[in-house]
Amino acid sequence: MRLISTLLTLAALIYGAYFVNLKYPNLKDQALEFINNSDFHTLEARFSAQQIMDMNRKLLLKDNKHKFLESTIKFSPYLLIEAKYSNNSETKESIILWDLLDGEMVLNTNQWDKTHGFVDCINANLEKHEFRIINALADKGGVLDREGLIRSLQIENDILGSLLDSCRRKKLIVQSGTQYRLHLQKPKLSIKPETIVDDRLVTKSYKSSERMSQRFSKSQIKHIAEAAFGQDFAIRHTLNVYLPIYCITVENPDGSVHTSYWNAINGRQLPFTSLL
């Protein structure tokens, strides 16, 4: 009886771990982060908080009745992916930096330009065959008619119809007359799987209050990247890294405070919504 009880307990634990990994992959990532709590990797800051305050003094302080309070620093989570992909007749190796808060891929670390639309695809749990529709539309500026999609994808009409219906149910495309378009404002999805990275990684000592919790898991990012970039795309290695962000707080004359967030790599202000 004791052996049966032990086996049942072990089976329940294995199933529980499988269920959590399948339904709540974020919990697994957060548990691993908690266990590995000595050092973490971050991009090296180019600017200090004081430099940013000095450069943006007129913007941040409306008059001499406003004053800076002590700034703080947080670290926003990203996934660094080492990958390889096919580019025409050659194989290319690349680095990809993917934001684990807003679900978008960074195109370069100088301007910190990003894609627009991947987060919708992640939330819709888009699969590889469905992403063929998204890529075909993205390659043609976001709009194509049915005949154009058939020529582009080289698939039969009934299969195309099934894919279109699936993408429409997931609110990723809409039909306007005879044309289909991406259901996104100014989509930016027709890109190479590559981030231009001009910065080096450093390590920081662990402080739980500094690191922001991720919204998306590594498995979700890997899934959408593999779906988006085709059958020749392969992930070789991944690493959790962080972007240093300064929280600069200004005290107003009435005693209220306003906090703005600044990218320590390029010194530019970040929209608050990107950190939610």
Side-chain angles (χ1 to χ4, degrees), residues 129 132-133 135-136 148-155 160 163:
H129 56 284
R132 295 184 65 195
I133 298 291
N135 281 335
L149 284 167
I150 290 175
R151 288 194 301 270
S152 177
L153 298 174
Q154 297 182 344
I155 59 176
L160 175 63
L163 293 177

Side-chain angles (χ1 to χ4, degrees), residues 55-104:
M55 290 186 299
N56 298 276
R57 182 172 294 272
K58 290 183 179 179
L59 173 66
L60 294 170
L61 300 181
K62 295 181 179 179
D63 52 44
N64 58 12
K65 295 180 180 179
H66 294 72
K67 65 178 181 179
F68 287 120
L69 300 181
E70 185 177 0
S71 63
T72 59
I73 187 170
K74 292 184 179 293
F75 293 90
S76 182
Y78 283 74
L79 185 68
L80 187 148
I81 300 171
E82 293 181 13
K84 61 180 180 179
Y85 66 99
S86 179
N87 183 29
N88 297 323
S89 59
E90 64 176 336
T91 293
K92 302 272 284 185
E93 295 178 357
S94 67
I95 295 293
I96 300 171
L97 199 58
W98 213 298
D99 194 327
L100 295 177
L101 280 182
D102 68 14
E104 299 293 345

Side-chain angles (χ1 to χ4, degrees), residues 104 114-117 141-142 181-189:
E104 299 293 345
K114 289 183 176 180
T115 57
H116 178 58
R181 63 175 175 82
L182 292 175
H183 194 22
L184 296 163
Q185 183 177 352
K186 296 181 180 180
K188 190 184 290 186
L189 292 169

Side-chain angles (χ1 to χ4, degrees), residues 53-260:
M53 287 188 285
D54 291 341
M55 290 186 299
N56 298 276
R57 182 172 294 272
K58 290 183 179 179
L59 173 66
L60 294 170
L61 300 181
K62 295 181 179 179
D63 52 44
N64 58 12
K65 295 180 180 179
H66 294 72
K67 65 178 181 179
F68 287 120
L69 300 181
E70 185 177 0
S71 63
T72 59
I73 187 170
K74 292 184 179 293
F75 293 90
S76 182
Y78 283 74
L79 185 68
L80 187 148
I81 300 171
E82 293 181 13
K84 61 180 180 179
Y85 66 99
S86 179
N87 183 29
N88 297 323
S89 59
E90 64 176 336
T91 293
K92 302 272 284 185
E93 295 178 357
S94 67
I95 295 293
I96 300 171
L97 199 58
W98 213 298
D99 194 327
L100 295 177
L101 280 182
D102 68 14
E104 299 293 345
M105 176 183 144
V106 179
L107 301 178
N108 64 76
T109 58
N110 280 323
Q111 304 300 319
W112 215 261
D113 294 328
K114 289 183 176 180
T115 57
H116 178 58
F118 276 117
V119 65
D120 299 77
C121 299
I122 295 172
N123 288 332
N125 196 27
L126 212 64
E127 302 294 341
K128 287 184 178 181
H129 56 284
E130 297 167 325
F131 223 110
R132 295 184 65 195
I133 298 291
I134 303 302
N135 281 335
L137 292 172
D139 289 342
K140 298 299 181 181
V143 181
L144 268 177
D145 61 16
R146 196 181 188 94
E147 291 302 316
L149 284 167
I150 290 175
R151 288 194 301 270
S152 177
L153 298 174
Q154 297 182 344
I155 59 176
E156 297 179 2
N157 189 54
D158 57 341
I159 296 176
L160 175 63
S162 177
L163 293 177
L164 289 172
D165 288 343
S166 178
C167 289
R168 288 173 67 186
R169 285 195 302 271
K170 293 183 177 183
K171 309 301 181 184
L172 292 172
I173 66 171
V174 293
Q175 183 176 3
S176 301
T178 61
Q179 293 187 318
Y180 296 88
R181 63 175 175 82
L182 292 175
H183 194 22
L184 296 163
Q185 183 177 352
K186 296 181 180 180
K188 190 184 290 186
L189 292 169
S190 184
I191 53 150
K192 294 179 181 179
E194 181 176 0
T195 300
I196 299 173
V197 180
D198 293 325
D199 304 275
R200 64 179 184 175
L201 289 176
V202 296
T203 56
K204 295 280 290 184
S205 297
Y206 175 83
K207 290 182 181 178
S208 60
S209 60
E210 292 181 345
R211 294 197 294 183
M212 302 171 72
S213 298
Q214 63 192 54
R215 179 183 172 194
F216 298 102
S217 68
K218 177 171 68 174
S219 60
Q220 286 177 298
I221 300 304
K222 290 175 66 176
H223 175 85
I224 207 64
E226 290 167 347
F229 297 128
Q231 62 180 2
D232 296 324
F233 174 81
I235 294 174
R236 306 170 70 192
H237 180 66
T238 62
L239 179 70
N240 286 92
V241 302
Y242 290 80
L243 168 69
I245 293 174
Y246 296 120
C247 309
I248 295 177
T249 302
V250 173
E251 185 179 52
N252 301 318
D254 63 358
S256 63
V257 297
H258 175 263
T259 301
S260 55

